[in-house]
């Protein structure tokens, strides 16, 4: 079985997800870290890049511990930007 790793940096959390070669979520193979943006009074939203990077690294490190990660063949990424 081939496995695909998807990294999703969304507007409320970072997720690392493993899918099989039929694009089906591998049971239990999703890791998530929630976060919030800093919001300014004029409507701006920011997040510290180092904090976000750390969350991505933690999710990837954790999902790579899963048995299915041994067969990763491709990686995809989606971001809120």
């Amino acid at each position: 079985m081939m496995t695909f790793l998807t990294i999703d940096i969304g507007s409320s959390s970072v997720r690392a997800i493993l899918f099989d070669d039929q694009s089906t979520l591998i049971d239990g193979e999703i890791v998530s870290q929630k976060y919030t943006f800093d919001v300014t009074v004029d409507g701006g939203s920011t997040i510290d890049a180092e904090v976000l990077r750390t969350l991505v690294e933690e999710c990837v490190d954790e999902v790579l511990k899963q048995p299915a990660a041994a067969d990763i063949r491709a990686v995809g990424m989606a971001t809120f930007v």
Side-chain angles (χ1 to χ4, degrees):
M1 172 181 73
M2 293 190 299
T3 303
F4 302 94
L5 169 60
T6 300
I7 302 166
D8 178 17
I9 304 172
S11 59
S12 64
S13 67
V14 172
R15 291 172 290 281
I17 309 163
L18 297 178
F19 292 92
D20 66 18
D21 51 4
Q22 300 298 310
S23 299
T24 303
L25 176 66
I26 297 173
D27 191 35
E29 306 295 345
I30 184 169
V31 178
S32 180
Q33 293 276 356
K34 291 192 176 291
Y35 60 85
T36 58
F37 287 97
D38 297 319
V39 180
T40 62
V41 293
D42 62 353
S45 296
T46 63
I47 186 167
D48 183 278
E50 291 297 318
V51 169
L52 194 56
R53 184 192 71 163
T54 298
L55 294 174
V56 171
E57 290 173 349
E58 288 174 358
C59 284
V60 170
D61 287 347
E62 189 63 30
V63 85
L64 289 178
K65 294 177 184 177
Q66 305 302 325
D71 295 315
I72 291 174
R73 299 290 186 243
V75 177
M77 179 179 250
T79 66
F80 60 82
V81 180

